[in-house]
C-alpha cells in the first residue's frame, strides 16, 4: 500500500443492488475506500476524471456501453488496474478472458445463486484482489505485445522423456500465451496449472489451441501424456503426473485445496518429483502468493532445471519471488526469453 493512504476504489455496475453490496463489502476493510459507484461507463468516465481512483471494478454487461468496449477505451486513454465482475458461465468465462486480453488485471466471479450472501462470503477474496490489483504492474502492462520473436531450433528436440511443468496465477493467462506461441509442434509435453475457476479452463484451453502450434486441451483423468501436447489443469481438480512404464499418465484429484488453491501448482510440481525428476523443466510465471515455490524447490533438488519469470515482466511478482527466496530457481528471465531458453536446454 502507498504509505497509510487507503486504496481508492470506483465501482461500476448497472445493478443498484450489486453497487450497494460491493460498496458495503469493500468499505468494511480499513485499508480500502469506495470513492464512488457508477451505474454505467459514461458516468464512470466522468467519475474517473473527478475522483482519480486507484482500482476500478467493472461489470461486463451494462447499458449505454458494454464493459469490454469501455475497458478497451480506458486502457488506451487512461490505463489503470481493473477487476472485472463476471458471471460463472460459459459466456461469462469468454468475456472474462477477453477482458484479460484487453488489460484487466483479474476478475471477480459473481455467485450463481443468492448474490447478496455470495458476495458477502467472497469479501476476503474481493479485498485480496483489490489489493493485488493496486500493487500490480497496472493494467497498462502490455505483457507480450511486440515482444514475441520467432524461436528457431536446430536438430531434434529431446521430447520423449522430457516434461515441461508450468505454474501461473494472476497475469498468467496472457503470460502463458507469450510462452506457448513460439513453442514448436515437436516440443515435449507441457503440463500447466493456472489458477482459474472451473467454468473458465476449457474455454482458455480452446483459445490457446487456436494460437499455438502444439495441441492444447484441458487435462483428463488417466490421459496418456504425449509430446507436442499441452495439458491445462481443469479448474475443479488438482493435476498430477505419474510414471507409467516408459511414459507418463495424468491424474486428476478433487482433494482439498493446497495453498488455498485447487488446482495447486505445488501439487503438480510435487507429483513430478518421483515420476519426472531430472527430466523436468519447471517454470513459474506471474502470480500472487507462494503456490509452487516448495514444489519447484523439490524438483530442483531432484535434478530438474527451474526458471522463474522476472519482476519487470510479471503482473504480480509473488509466486516467482517466493521461489527465488527459497532457493528453488536456477534462472530468472523476462517472459519473452523463457521459451527460447527452454528450447536451448532441450536441443
Amino acid at each position: 500500500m502507498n504509505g497509510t493512504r487507503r486504496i481508492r476504489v470506483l465501482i461500476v455496475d448497472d445493478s443498484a443492488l450489486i453497487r450497494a453490496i460491493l460498496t458495503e463489502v469493500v468499505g468494511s476493510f480499513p485499508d480500502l475506500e469506495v470513492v464512488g459507484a457508477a451505474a454505467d461507463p459514461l458516468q464512470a468516465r466522468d467519475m474517473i476524471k473527478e475522483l482519480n481512483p486507484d482500482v476500478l471494478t467493472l461489470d461486463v454487461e451494462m447499458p449505454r456501453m458494454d464493459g469490454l468496449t469501455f475497458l478497451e477505451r480506458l486502457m488506451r486513454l487512461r490505463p489503470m488496474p481493473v477487476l472485472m465482475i463476471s458471471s460463472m458461465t460459459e459466456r461469462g468465462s469468454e468475456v472474462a478472458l477477453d477482458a484479460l486480453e484487453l488489460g484487466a488485471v483479474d476478475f471477480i466471479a459473481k455467485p450463481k445463486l443468492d448474490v447478496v450472501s455470495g458476495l458477502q462470503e467472497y469479501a476476503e477474496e474481493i479485498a485480496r484482489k483489490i489489493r493485488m490489483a493496486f500493487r500490480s504492474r497496472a493494467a497498462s502492462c502490455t505483457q507480450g505485445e511486440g515482444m514475441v520473436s520467432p524461436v528457431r531450433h536446430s536438430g531434434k528436440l529431446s521430447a520423449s522423456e522430457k516434461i515441461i511443468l508450468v505454474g501461473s496465477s494472476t497475469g498468467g493467462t496472457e503470460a502463458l500465451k507469450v510462452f506457448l506461441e513460439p513453442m514448436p509442434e515437436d516440443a515435449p509435453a507441457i503440463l500447466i496449472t493456472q489458477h482459474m475457476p472451473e467454468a473458465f479452463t476449457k474455454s482458455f484451453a480452446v483459445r490457446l489451441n487456436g494460437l499455438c502450434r502444439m495441441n492444447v486441451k484441458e487435462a483428463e483423468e488417466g490421459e496418456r501424456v504425449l509430446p507436442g501436447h499441452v495439458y491445462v489443469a481443469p479448474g475443479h481438480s488438482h493435476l498430477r503426473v505419474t510414471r507409467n512404464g516408459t511414459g507418463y499418465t495424468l491424474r486428476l484429484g478433487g482433494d482439498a485445496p493446497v495453498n488455498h488453491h485447487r488446482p495447486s501448482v505445488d501439487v503438480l510440481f510435487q507429483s513430478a518429483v518421483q515420476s519426472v525428476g531430472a527430466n523436468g523443466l519447471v517454470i513459474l510465471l506471474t502470480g500472487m502468493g507462494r503456490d509452487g515455490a516448495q514444489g519447484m524447490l523439490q524438483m530442483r533438488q531432484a535434478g530438474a532445471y527451474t526458471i522463474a519469470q522476472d519482476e519487470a515482466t510479471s503482473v504480480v511478482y509473488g509466486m516467482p519471488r517466493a521461489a527465488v527466496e527459497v532457493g528453488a530457481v536456477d534462472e530468472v528471465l523476462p517472459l519473452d526469453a523463457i521459451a527460447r531458453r527452454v528450447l536451448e536446454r532441450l536441443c
Side-chain angles (χ1 to χ4, degrees):
M1 218 175 121
N2 187 8
T4 58
R5 182 175 71 80
R6 291 191 290 177
I7 300 172
R8 297 163 55 83
V9 182
L10 176 63
I11 294 162
V12 187
D13 199 297
D14 66 317
S15 166
L17 176 61
I18 297 295
R19 292 198 303 274
I21 294 169
L22 284 174
T23 298
E24 180 181 348
V25 166
V26 174
S28 68
F29 292 89
D31 60 329
L32 307 179
E33 176 187 10
V34 177
V35 295
D40 61 59
L42 299 185
Q43 185 181 3
R45 181 187 60 191
D46 296 334
M47 295 178 80
I48 289 170
K49 293 176 183 176
E50 177 187 352
L51 301 171
N52 194 31
D54 299 311
V55 178
L56 193 74
T57 73
L58 179 62
D59 190 17
V60 171
E61 297 180 0
M62 290 179 294
R64 303 175 75 184
M65 183 187 298
D66 69 88
L68 288 181
T69 301
F70 179 64
L71 177 66
E72 184 176 16
R73 295 182 183 181
L74 183 68
M75 291 300 102
R76 188 172 67 251
L77 301 173
R78 205 272 195 196
M80 63 181 296
V82 176
L83 288 171
M84 301 302 294
I85 307 290
S86 173
S87 61
M88 296 286 284
T89 62
E90 183 175 347
R91 163 66 181 161
S93 69
E94 290 289 343
V95 172
L97 291 170
D98 288 339
L100 294 174
E101 288 181 356
L102 290 172
V105 178
D106 206 342
F107 56 85
I108 300 167
K110 281 182 181 175
K112 290 182 180 178
L113 304 172
D114 195 350
V115 174
V116 177
S117 64
L119 280 176
Q120 290 171 341
E121 180 183 334
Y122 292 156
E124 287 293 341
E125 180 187 2
I126 292 169
R128 179 173 57 87
K129 290 195 172 186
I130 289 172
R131 296 182 191 111
M132 173 275 300
F134 177 68
R135 293 193 300 267
S136 74
R137 281 176 46 76
S140 61
C141 177
T142 55
Q143 193 172 191
E145 288 186 19
M147 296 197 307
V148 183
S149 57
V151 176
R152 295 179 175 85
H153 66 286
S154 58
K156 185 175 177 60
L157 293 181
S158 175
S160 59
E161 294 289 311
K162 297 291 185 180
I163 294 281
I164 301 169
L165 305 158
V166 185
S168 52
S169 186
T170 309
T173 56
E174 296 307 295
L176 285 166
K177 288 195 293 188
V178 175
F179 170 65
L180 290 173
E181 283 186 70
M183 297 298 287
E185 58 272 6
D186 60 343
I190 301 176
L191 277 54
I192 295 172
T193 289
Q194 157 74 35
H195 297 158
M196 187 176 281
E198 177 178 350
F200 288 45
T201 45
K202 186 171 183 179
S203 296
F204 180 53
V206 169
R207 285 192 180 213
L208 287 177
N209 190 55
L211 296 170
C212 301
R213 285 176 281 177
M214 298 182 74
N215 294 305
V216 186
K217 68 184 299 294
E218 191 178 51
E220 297 179 49
E221 166 62 24
E223 192 167 12
R224 185 181 169 213
V225 177
L226 299 173
H229 287 67
V230 180
Y231 304 91
V232 178
H236 54 71
S237 298
H238 294 303
L239 175 63
R240 294 177 171 92
V241 58
T242 61
R243 190 80 185 185
N244 182 18
T246 59
Y248 301 101
T249 301
L250 300 180
R251 296 295 179 194
L252 301 182
D255 39 314
V258 174
N259 301 320
H260 308 291
H261 296 288
R262 186 176 63 220
S264 162
V265 180
D266 266 333
V267 169
L268 173 61
F269 289 177
Q270 288 167 352
S271 76
V273 172
Q274 295 298 323
S275 59
V276 180
N279 282 318
L281 274 163
V282 186
I283 299 162
L284 202 52
L285 301 176
T286 174
M288 177 173 55
R290 304 186 64 85
D291 191 27
Q294 288 302 317
M296 179 177 257
L297 176 61
Q298 292 174 30
M299 281 297 287
R300 188 184 187 205
Q301 292 167 341
Y305 195 79
T306 60
I307 299 172
Q309 185 177 347
D310 70 355
E311 183 171 9
T313 61
S314 294
V315 172
V316 180
Y317 190 58
M319 287 161 49
R321 183 198 302 276
V324 170
E325 287 173 351
V326 300
V329 181
D330 285 308
E331 197 168 4
V332 177
L333 293 173
L335 176 60
D336 62 325
I338 294 176
R340 185 182 304 277
R341 188 72 181 110
V342 166
L343 293 173
E344 289 171 355
R345 296 285 306 180
L346 292 169
C347 285

